[in-house]
Amino acid sequence: MANEEDDPVVQEIDVYLAKSLAEKLYLFQYPVRPASMTYDDIPHLSAKIKPKQQKVELEMAIDTLNPNYCRSKGEQIALNVDGACADETSTYSSKLMDKQTFCSSQTTSNTSRYAAALYRQGELHLTPLHGILQLRPSFSYLDKADAKHREREAANEAGDSSQDEAEEDVKQITMSFTGEVRFSRPESEQARQRRVQSYEFLQKKHAEEPWVHLHYYGLRDSRSEHERQYLLCQGSSGVENTELVKSPSEYLMMLMPPSQEQEKDKPVAPSNVLSMAQLRTLPLADQIKILMKNVKVMPFANLMSLLGPFIDSVAVLRGIQKVAMLVQGNWVVKSDILYPKDSSSPHSGVPAEVLCRGRDFVMWKFTQSRWVVRKEVATVTKLSAEDVKDFLEHMAVVRINKGWEFILPYDGEFIKKHPDVVQRQHMLWTGIQAKLEKVYNLVKETMPKKPDGQSGPAVLVSGDQRVQVAKSKAQQNHALLERELQRRKEQIRASTVLPGVRIKEEPMSEEGEEEEEREVEEDEEPMDTSPSRGLHNRLANGLPAGRAAGGDSFNGHPPPGCASTPVARELRAFVEATFQRQFVLTLSELKRLFNLHLASLPPGHTLFSGISDRMLQDTVLAAGCKQILVPFPPQTAASPDEQKVFALWESGDMSDQHRQVLLEIFSKNYRVRRNMIQSRLTQECGEDLSKQEVDKVLKDCCVSYGGMWYLKGTVQS
């Protein structure tokens, strides 16, 4: 008792088990380096992995300008490896050993006792490790040098070694006196097993596994920050922590498990059958997953009735969003749950990735309409009729001479009761739609007007009625458009143009006015009520021409009234914080980060009222950023949002001038070599910049690929 009183409990810490990265988290152990240098500071040129072997290779740059680097030795190694003639297959294209390869090896096969811990706000979050890999320098370039040396020696020697090697592969045959040709005796089963278990065979099998190339993201990259959030337990209510929260009966069962004889006495049920009593012994997340995988489509009310009356609906909502998507107010199981990785179609043998993409297309079509035509799905997805039929049977019923109708009625009650969930699902469907349009080359379709992104009960409208409605809308907006156009022209004429800025006015043709009218009619994005979306959208000093005439926006402030609303203030704070970390972002990447930010906000937040692309861009420009008109190549595969590049012009640090010179370079060049950047910086800044200063500017704004430098987000691999 005295010892216990002398050693009191100072603090109690809650422990959570995070499982989001349980099957994906690896610990890399790098060789020891000086404490002042971290591996994140060293440019990672490439990374690749063999998943089955858990083998990783990282290629890192060597600082050839370091005084401790022996240049003559580096040139000699490059000469021995690649020879005098450098080509595309050369290991060192610069004729200098400027990079080093690290290869991994497993330290232990059993990693169940190891976990990564993250301590935050008085909570300890543990994530089990899937593997521990030690990285050691690889000297494969020496093997390549030896191989070249042996090739040179073989070329100088006479002989017919190639003929001898070819004859080794010829099967041994014998001929009897009767003229019958006999092959040698086939390999026995025992001999085959010995050959399969041999070291040479295993090495050959390991070498045959293809490398999977990876993208390396540094410690401060936005993607790394996003992935680090998965080290925190996502379900604070205990849904994910069932391993750490046990009832007394469960602890007793763990301490005294039933004997094998008792288990044998229980009747064995089929593998695809699970009773409700057995189901309710599982964690809530597993219950939801099993139910959705078997039922495929289910209203939320039915799911709650199956789970029982004492289950928290908030926990069920959190769990259902992990395994299902919202379609017309009902929940449809996700495609990757039905078609897991490394599986294939039983009908055509198509891999799971293609099946998931095709099924997502069918689900997305049902978010647009109650009806889907099978021929249209087969034409777009290029899948077999059997696979398409399986997709449709999961969520629809066939109607003769009409097509396939969604199997459940529209659940408007759920839509009205849970607007925050509906908004999140709408954002997910927007992302899926963008991927489908890119993969299947679809003509971009307008999403439904409902903020939940789901289609209501179908209403049939004839073509003549649509034409009449369009004509009436055009007549109503014609006078408004003319007044707005005249007002903007007068503002441009009356505005004071800054020195060096020339605003060009172009006459608008009748066709242009008609197109503008159509844009206004179709512009149904939330929070974007301007009637002249397409007018005078040129940029002056990185701002729209209409704003440039206002005067205030040149000082980095939005027009009067814009920043007064809570939505505008919240959006401005998000944009400023994001660009202080990133400096350069494409519109596509900014929208992705904004969607992640929305997903982390509590239900009912002001930003859920709806933010349009135009409002987001205007806020970026008003926050002191500028649009960089990067000259993308004509054959680029980048989308329009990926071609809109914004950069923070002034951050208040010592590198502002250097970044501005760098951004001006990329306004005229899509990709640039490092020596050109360094010479331009030296010329413009009037001083000899150190390597560390140049590296900092490049790290803030650029990425390196194939020996060239690109602005972040613009490289097309």
Side-chain angles (χ1 to χ4, degrees), residues 17-161:
L17 181 62
K19 300 171 65 177
S20 299
L21 300 177
E23 300 296 328
K24 307 173 184 177
L25 190 62
Y26 290 83
L27 175 64
F28 286 4
Q29 296 179 343
Y30 287 84
V32 178
R33 297 188 69 89
S36 60
M37 180 182 296
T38 63
Y39 277 91
D40 190 64
D41 297 328
I42 304 175
H44 287 61
L45 302 179
S46 66
K48 54 186 180 180
I49 185 174
K50 289 187 176 182
K52 294 182 180 180
Q53 303 177 40
Q54 294 189 359
K55 183 178 181 181
V56 176
E57 275 193 11
L58 299 179
E59 192 173 86
M60 301 184 185
I62 297 177
D63 186 8
T64 58
L65 301 179
N66 192 294
N68 297 324
Y69 180 81
C70 181
R71 192 174 186 87
S72 60
K73 189 67 175 177
E75 292 175 349
Q76 183 62 42
I77 293 176
L79 180 63
N80 293 340
V81 174
D82 298 327
C85 299
D87 53 14
E88 296 179 355
T89 61
S90 299
T91 304
Y92 305 109
S93 57
S94 62
K95 297 185 178 180
L96 189 68
M97 184 180 177
D98 56 356
K99 56 187 177 181
Q100 187 177 16
T101 302
F102 289 83
C103 189
S104 69
S105 61
Q106 287 190 359
T107 57
T108 177
S109 58
N110 182 17
T111 58
S112 59
R113 298 183 295 112
Y114 299 91
L118 183 63
Y119 182 78
R120 179 171 294 184
Q121 298 179 356
E123 298 175 350
L124 186 64
H125 298 259
L126 302 178
T127 301
L129 289 176
H130 190 60
I132 301 177
L133 304 178
Q134 285 187 348
L135 295 172
R136 296 184 176 89
S138 173
F139 303 98
S140 58
Y141 60 89
L142 297 178
D143 298 335
K144 188 175 181 181
D146 293 341
K148 283 187 174 291
H149 179 67
R150 287 194 297 269
E151 288 176 3
R152 287 194 294 268
E153 289 182 349
N156 296 331
E157 294 179 358
D160 54 352
S161 59

Side-chain angles (χ1 to χ4, degrees), residues 263-314:
E263 292 181 353
K264 290 180 181 179
D265 294 339
K266 295 180 180 180
V268 179
S271 59
N272 61 339
V273 175
L274 187 67
S275 67
M276 292 301 296
Q278 292 175 324
L279 182 68
R280 289 177 179 174
T281 61
L282 300 176
L284 179 60
D286 293 339
Q287 293 184 46
I288 297 173
K289 182 177 180 180
I290 292 173
L291 285 173
M292 292 305 304
K293 188 175 181 180
N294 284 274
V295 182
K296 308 292 191 303
V297 184
M298 190 186 306
F300 185 74
N302 290 14
L303 179 62
M304 290 298 299
S305 64
L306 290 174
L307 293 175
F310 304 107
I311 301 297
D312 183 17
S313 62
V314 177

Side-chain angles (χ1 to χ4, degrees), residues 7-24:
D7 189 15
V9 176
V10 178
Q11 183 181 4
E12 292 186 0
I13 300 175
D14 292 333
V15 181
Y16 295 88
L17 181 62
K19 300 171 65 177
S20 299
L21 300 177
E23 300 296 328
K24 307 173 184 177

Side-chain angles (χ1 to χ4, degrees), residues 24 51 96 114 214 234 241 261 348 435 463 477 505 554 663 687:
K24 307 173 184 177
L96 189 68
Y114 299 91
L214 309 173
Q234 304 297 318
N241 289 279
E261 295 181 358
S348 59
K435 291 181 180 178
N477 292 317
E505 294 188 17
F554 283 112
L663 295 174
E687 56 185 5

Side-chain angles (χ1 to χ4, degrees), residues 472-489:
S472 62
K473 284 185 179 180
Q475 292 173 359
Q476 293 172 5
N477 292 317
H478 182 69
L480 179 62
L481 289 172
E482 285 189 347
R483 289 196 300 271
E484 179 67 18
L485 176 60
Q486 189 64 27
R487 184 183 66 81
R488 293 221 173 187
K489 286 184 177 180

